Amino acid sequence: MATYTHSAGVHSTPGADDLAEGHVVNVQGGDWDQEMGELGMNPEERIVLNMGPQHPSTHGVLRLILELDGETVTEARAGIGYLHTGIEKNMEFRTWTQGVTFCTRMDYLTPMFQETAYCLAIEKVLGITADIPERASAIRVLMMELTRISSHLICLGTGGMEMGATTIMTIGFRERERILSVIENITGLRMNNAYVRPGGVASDLPHGAIDKIRETVPQVRRGIGELERLLLENPILKGRTKDVGVLSLTGCTALGITGPVLRSTGLPHDLRKLSPYCGYEKYDFDVVTRTGADAYDRLCIRLDEMRESLRIVEQVTDELQRNPGPVMVADKRIAWPAQLAVGGDGMGNSLDHIREIMGTSMESLIHHFKLVTEGFRVPPGQAYVAVESPKGELGCHVVADGGTRPYRAHFRDPSFNNLQAVAAMCEGGNLADVIVAVASIDPVMGGVDR
């Protein structure tokens, strides 16, 4: 068995020290038969290719161990763990509210979904699900759908770039910047927002946010149209994606695959419809499905899903404009301060607010101090809540022991489950199709490794 590694080095012939592990060669590039001939190897000899973990087409630090027979993949395995951060363990040593700042960093392209799933699970254990203000739930839906569009744009942009279509990347990132500008306007941050909090959201929409959203939606819709015109009938793209990375409904069911990969088999599985949360049942949108079960259909589904998300954003925006109200649960034993007056610099609390909380009620000041430093207590119990993230079912399981910190917080990240499909999608196909198949899964290693 020979081992092939791709590097920027020069040719090196196998030495005596290599015999224990087989022949190890470094190849810069060129015609395969010529390279093997110069090394005195049989071109038909099977080789093992390590793709990653530092590779521009593995969507992060994913390692793919591929056994090749020429250009055909005979065996594919995924090696994970290179981005392990210990986030779930760290959350056991922080208050329930502080945990939001950790889980938002797992799948860094879908922060609002981790935050929402985590907070919904906490609220379920507390028994306050029905007490969450409607405006807070509507804002959560707004932020999740904006994030869904942002995530899909990254998927399409990076996938296009990996196939050599750099224009797809520039358009995708351009439209994503519009979305991130809105998210930054509302939360103060582009990513890792920690905006969704147990009981509601950190703050209400700032002045002018709704106008900015209404201005952005038609621009993003035009950008999606540009992507469609560049992609859907492009013969080169169709040649690279049609019948590539095929995974049937039976395979998806056996492996626990969800999201666009599952819906590309024709099954309309979407938790927003099947098990609504945050008031999704109030909004009119369609669950997009296809039947080709290949990379091309997953691309089409993501384009259509972005349009459906824009429909939801428009409906939520109208609702938010019609219905003002609180954005945090009324129970002050839980409610993190969410209606704070902002100072003239736009950065911190106004002097009037500080003067009021420090000068009018010593009890309020003490409670504020304990809530921020110690946190609220959650009665013993456990809950699992799942939301429909851009990549599939994202679940959060929290266990409480009556303290101010989670006894355990564990996430079912869809990228982790979906990566199991690498072997089924890639074995028997060409090496070049591995890139397309992995891109169609759209894994993010921050969510896989946690």
Side-chain angles (χ1 to χ4, degrees):
M1 176 69 67
T3 301
Y4 167 86
T5 59
H6 186 284
S7 71
V10 297
H11 284 100
S12 62
T13 55
D17 294 338
D18 298 324
L19 295 178
E21 296 294 330
H23 296 304
V24 178
V25 295
N26 296 320
V27 180
Q28 280 186 315
D31 181 77
W32 179 252
D33 292 339
Q34 181 182 347
E35 297 283 0
M36 295 300 100
E38 290 177 3
L39 293 168
M41 296 173 61
N42 181 358
E44 296 182 359
E45 186 174 4
R46 289 189 177 181
I47 60 173
V48 174
L49 170 67
N50 277 289
M51 195 176 106
Q54 278 75 37
H55 192 286
S57 295
T58 53
H59 295 252
V61 282
L62 169 65
R63 179 189 178 197
L64 295 174
I65 304 107
L66 307 173
E67 184 179 302
L68 305 177
D69 183 359
E71 289 289 319
T72 302
V73 178
T74 58
E75 185 177 349
R77 289 174 291 158
I80 64 174
Y82 294 92
L83 196 60
H84 179 58
T85 53
I87 284 176
E88 291 182 349
K89 192 65 179 177
N90 272 299
M91 291 171 71
E92 298 174 15
F93 298 90
R94 300 296 189 276
T95 67
W96 292 96
T97 301
Q98 287 173 333
V100 176
T101 65
F102 281 80
C103 67
T104 189
R105 287 167 162 77
M106 296 192 318
D107 185 338
Y108 37 82
L109 298 182
T110 63
M112 293 295 175
F113 291 90
Q114 282 99 240
E115 296 175 21
T116 302
Y118 174 65
C119 291
L120 288 174
I122 296 172
E123 291 157 7
K124 189 173 182 180
V125 179
L126 285 168
I128 62 170
T129 301
D131 301 328
I132 306 303
E134 287 189 10
R135 185 173 179 84
S137 293
I139 292 175
R140 289 177 176 181
V141 170
L142 172 69
M143 303 309 293
M144 283 190 285
E145 293 308 314
L146 289 172
T147 304
R148 188 185 310 278
I149 299 169
S150 169
S151 176
H152 281 348
L153 287 169
I154 283 284
C155 173
L156 297 176
T158 55
M161 178 179 64
E162 289 158 6
M163 289 185 285
T166 54
T167 307
I168 306 303
M169 184 202 71
T170 56
I171 293 176
F173 275 68
R174 182 193 69 196
E175 299 309 316
R176 180 172 179 261
E177 284 302 310
R178 301 189 202 276
I179 298 293
L180 291 184
S181 178
V182 173
I183 292 175
E184 183 180 17
N185 177 247
I186 294 172
T187 70
L189 293 165
R190 289 159 55 90
M191 299 168 66
N192 305 331
N193 310 92
Y195 178 68
V196 181
R197 305 284 176 86
V201 295
S203 59
D204 203 348
L205 299 183
H207 178 72
I210 289 179
D211 292 336
K212 185 174 180 63
I213 294 169
R214 286 183 169 153
E215 176 187 331
T216 302
V217 165
Q219 296 173 341
V220 174
R221 188 172 278 124
R222 283 195 297 271
I224 296 171
E226 285 185 52
L227 288 172
E228 286 180 335
R229 290 191 295 275
L230 281 167
L231 289 169
L232 295 188
E233 297 303 323
N234 186 317
I236 299 175
L237 180 122
K238 292 176 80 170
R240 288 297 309 274
T241 57
K242 280 277 191 180
D243 298 322
V244 171
V246 175
L247 187 65
S248 67
L249 176 58
T250 302
C252 289
T253 305
L255 296 171
I257 308 299
T258 54
V261 180
L262 176 60
R263 289 191 287 275
S264 71
T265 66
L267 184 68
H269 181 87
D270 190 315
L271 294 175
R272 295 174 295 174
K273 290 284 191 181
L274 298 176
S275 181
Y277 50 92
C278 294
Y280 266 108
E281 64 275 6
K282 297 185 296 185
Y283 307 112
D284 179 31
F285 65 97
D286 298 322
V287 177
V288 182
T289 61
R290 293 263 177 163
T291 57
D294 57 11
Y296 180 79
D297 276 13
R298 291 166 206 145
L299 179 152
C300 296
I301 284 174
R302 290 185 174 100
L303 284 168
D304 290 338
E305 282 188 356
M306 287 193 287
R307 292 191 181 279
E308 295 301 317
S309 291
L310 289 176
R311 284 178 61 192
I312 297 173
V313 167
E314 289 175 324
Q315 295 171 63
V316 176
T317 304
D318 293 339
E319 179 186 348
L320 289 171
Q321 189 163 40
R322 288 193 306 265
N323 303 319
V327 296
M328 181 58 71
V329 69
D331 189 345
K332 294 302 180 184
R333 295 171 298 174
I334 299 169
W336 192 273
Q339 302 284 18
L340 304 183
V342 181
D345 58 0
M347 298 295 289
N349 297 331
S350 69
L351 292 176
D352 291 338
H353 175 79
I354 297 172
R355 197 174 291 118
E356 178 183 350
I357 196 172
M358 295 189 69
T360 59
S361 172
M362 176 59 71
E363 291 77 13
S364 296
L365 180 62
I366 292 171
H367 174 70
H368 181 95
F369 179 79
K370 287 179 68 65
L371 182 65
V372 172
T373 57
E374 203 174 272
F376 54 82
R377 294 187 178 275
V378 176
Q382 59 182 321
Y384 175 83
V385 173
V387 301
E388 187 69 34
S389 91
K391 299 167 178 62
E393 179 178 331
L394 169 68
C396 179
H397 178 213
V398 296
V399 182
D401 60 0
T404 59
R405 304 181 300 186
Y407 176 78
R408 185 75 172 94
H410 174 64
F411 289 80
R412 181 215 186 270
D413 189 272
S415 291
F416 179 82
N417 292 69
N418 293 356
L419 265 181
Q420 296 180 94
V422 166
M425 287 184 180
C426 298
E427 289 178 0
N430 291 328
L431 174 61
D433 292 340
V434 173
I435 307 298
V436 178
V438 172
S440 74
I441 296 173
D442 187 26
V444 171
M445 302 310 295
V448 174
D449 294 336
R450 296 190 296 284

